[in-house]
Amino acid sequence: MANALHNAAMSFGFPSLSTLRTMHKDKNIELKRMAVAIKAKSNSDFDDSGVDISLSHRVDAVKPSKTLAICDHATALSQSGVPVIRLFFGESDFDTPAVIAEAGMNAIRDGYTRYTPNAGTLELRQAICHKLKEENGIIHSPDQIVVSNGAKQSIVQAVLAVCSPGDEVIIPAPFYVSYPEMARLAHATPVILPTHILNDFLLDPKLLEDNLTERSRLLILCSPCNPTGSVYPKKLLEEIAQIVAKHPRLLVLSDENYEHIIYAPATHTSFASLPGMRDRTLTVNGLSKTFAMTGWRLGYIAGPKHFVAACGKIQSQFTSGASSISQKAAVAALGLGYAGGEAVSTMVKAFRERRDFLIESFRDMDGARICEPQGGFYVFIDLSSYYGREAEGFGLIENSDSLCRYLLEKGQVALVPGSAFGDDSCIRISFAESLSTLNTAVDRIKNALISLSS
Ligand code: PMP
């Protein structure tokens, strides 16, 4: 009987009993080895009360946020009575326009406080489709939209949905701090392509072409760009599109979160509106920046149904639908008319005055190089000529991190080091603050820099 079973097993291609015994023995040895390795690792990860405090490899792969580190430092100084000016926020200083806020409050009053569909309400997705058609020249249907808790969630879900381990995510630098970390979360490899201040921080198509391989899965474009304020001209996007078209595996994520915070004559072009690009572009946008709605947490992704549905699948197991109240407010925001109507143009006018003020203030300063931002509310300024100088009672200014620490301690102005965005020669100044505050900040920064000895 045993022999018959043995023969039958062999005839189906199953391993013989003796092979199984050897495999079992090998498996035990392997398990013992793993146990020793786990014990060796976990010995150092146990806290005093015997709890295993080790974290996943996923967390270990992600860098901590430098903006948060600056924020903590600035808060500690403020709490000890130092009047710190905080110019590190990626947040408008304006309040949400009243009609939008009112729509949110009405939603609460009307009991519109329950779960919504995972992808967002049909009413909002229809409003987004209308906006994309009128403002961006992109035709999508509501089933090609997923509404999330902010553009950030839309981006990370897209990265997780399309990237597999070993895939490459192409990211021009300077970049929005989260892109490379999102790639790492997906076990993909960020491939950073540097740009240069002399070239308005715009991606050189030749550099892109030279760096694309069969592993390249996603190119992330951000226009207007955080932190540089660069706006990609249509012609350059067309050149990029021609290169992208040669790579069937390559998708594009177009982050258009600052779309309407733009300074004429610069104009915004949506990558998906370019010929042949709609079927391989994931367009991400949000309400945070344009409508001063950071706290409402609302953003969305639009693109080919296949990919967008995958983003929705991930969201359905993470957070489900975004806030019902914020979605009602978003419908009101998108109803304000083309580019957000007067409510938005008033804010953009104020940002433009502040940008002009900062450009004027730093243009002729010795040792500073500046590229006029065409959008967004940041100036990314090259102060690397100050590296290598000494500050009394502080020490050596080595890089953008130590320069920012120095400007915080000596000048009492909190800024973000360029290293956080992949360009150590610069620092980022946010001008989402009043002109009078910016005036004081400029004086403090200049005085602190002047007192650096060469
Ligand atoms: N993209 C860019 C370029 C950003 O600067 C930000 C926020 N600073 C986001 C996406 C995320 O915005 P939110 O999640 O608030 O919509």
Side-chain angles (χ1 to χ4, degrees), residues 89-91 148-155 175-179 182 221-227 253 255-258 284-289 293-300 377-378 421 428:
F89 277 133
E91 174 162 63
S148 303
N149 302 286
K152 201 172 200 172
Q153 185 181 0
S154 298
I155 301 168
F175 45 71
Y176 172 48
V177 288
S178 299
Y179 298 152
M182 289 170 172
L221 294 175
C222 180
S223 179
C225 173
N226 171 13
L253 187 146
D255 182 345
E256 307 185 1
N257 217 8
Y258 293 86
V284 171
N285 209 328
L287 284 279
S288 290
K289 314 291 175 178
M293 290 177 69
T294 40
W296 297 78
R297 307 309 302 126
L298 214 89
Y300 55 89
F377 38 66
Y378 314 101
F421 309 98
R428 190 189 76 175

Side-chain angles (χ1 to χ4, degrees), residues 61-84:
V62 173
K63 288 192 204 138
S65 155
K66 284 205 178 175
T67 326
L68 281 187
I70 288 277
C71 181
D72 289 350
H73 193 167
T75 306
L77 284 175
S78 300
Q79 280 169 353
S80 64
V82 180
V84 173

Side-chain angles (χ1 to χ4, degrees), residues 124-373:
L124 177 55
R125 284 181 289 134
Q126 279 169 340
I128 291 169
C129 290
H130 180 75
K131 175 247 180 284
L132 289 172
K133 180 167 168 253
E134 296 298 314
E135 296 182 356
N136 307 91
I138 314 171
I139 310 288
H140 279 311
S141 49
D143 60 359
Q144 293 179 303
I145 313 286
V146 168
V147 174
S148 303
N149 302 286
K152 201 172 200 172
Q153 185 181 0
S154 298
I155 301 168
V156 76
Q157 285 175 177
V159 173
L160 290 170
V162 303
C163 293
S164 300
D167 280 346
E168 291 175 350
V169 180
I170 317 293
I171 305 170
F175 45 71
Y176 172 48
V177 288
S178 299
Y179 298 152
E181 305 317 313
M182 289 170 172
R184 290 189 182 102
L185 277 174
H187 295 303
T189 309
V191 175
I192 308 299
L193 301 184
T195 64
H196 201 276
I197 193 165
L198 293 176
N199 198 20
D200 296 334
F201 292 114
L202 293 168
L203 176 62
D204 173 2
K206 171 93 176 59
L207 185 69
L208 172 67
E209 186 147 40
D210 290 348
N211 279 278
L212 292 177
T213 70
E214 67 285 357
R215 287 190 303 277
S216 310
R217 182 60 172 147
L218 192 63
L219 164 66
I220 304 189
L221 294 175
C222 180
S223 179
C225 173
N226 171 13
T228 61
S230 305
V231 171
Y232 275 72
K234 187 171 183 190
K235 196 169 162 300
L236 177 56
L237 289 177
E238 283 168 348
E239 279 180 60
I240 293 174
Q242 277 174 15
I243 296 165
V244 169
K246 292 184 207 157
H247 294 264
R249 275 206 81 218
L250 186 62
L251 305 173
V252 176
L253 187 146
S254 179
D255 182 345
E256 307 185 1
N257 217 8
Y258 293 86
E259 172 189 13
H260 290 310
I261 303 178
I262 195 162
Y263 310 114
T267 52
H268 175 74
T269 302
S270 285
F271 196 78
S273 71
L274 301 177
M277 289 300 113
R278 201 188 68 144
D279 290 343
R280 53 161 80 213
T281 304
L282 298 157
T283 305
V284 171
N285 209 328
L287 284 279
S288 290
K289 314 291 175 178
T290 302
F291 298 99
M293 290 177 69
T294 40
W296 297 78
R297 307 309 302 126
L298 214 89
Y300 55 89
I301 192 160
K305 195 171 162 185
H306 169 71
F307 296 123
V308 169
C311 297
K313 189 173 171 189
I314 292 177
Q315 176 161 306
S316 73
Q317 300 296 7
F318 264 9
T319 59
S320 303
S323 149
S324 57
I325 299 149
S326 300
Q327 290 190 58
K328 275 286 182 197
V331 171
L334 295 178
L336 286 177
Y338 194 86
E342 208 186 318
V344 173
S345 65
T346 309
M347 294 191 268
V348 174
K349 192 163 164 273
F351 286 136
R352 184 179 192 123
E353 271 172 34
R354 299 163 183 188
R355 175 201 68 162
D356 292 348
F357 167 75
L358 284 183
I359 296 294
E360 253 342 282
S361 306
F362 287 108
R363 199 192 299 278
D364 298 325
M365 195 182 124
D366 257 358
R369 272 205 293 184
I370 195 160
C371 160
E372 187 177 85

Side-chain angles (χ1 to χ4, degrees), residues 1 11 51 83 96 122 126 153 167 177 292 301 303 326 337 396 433:
M1 176 70 178
S11 70
V51 175
T96 303
L122 184 60
Q126 279 169 340
Q153 185 181 0
D167 280 346
V177 288
I301 192 160
S326 300
L396 187 67
E433 263 296 351

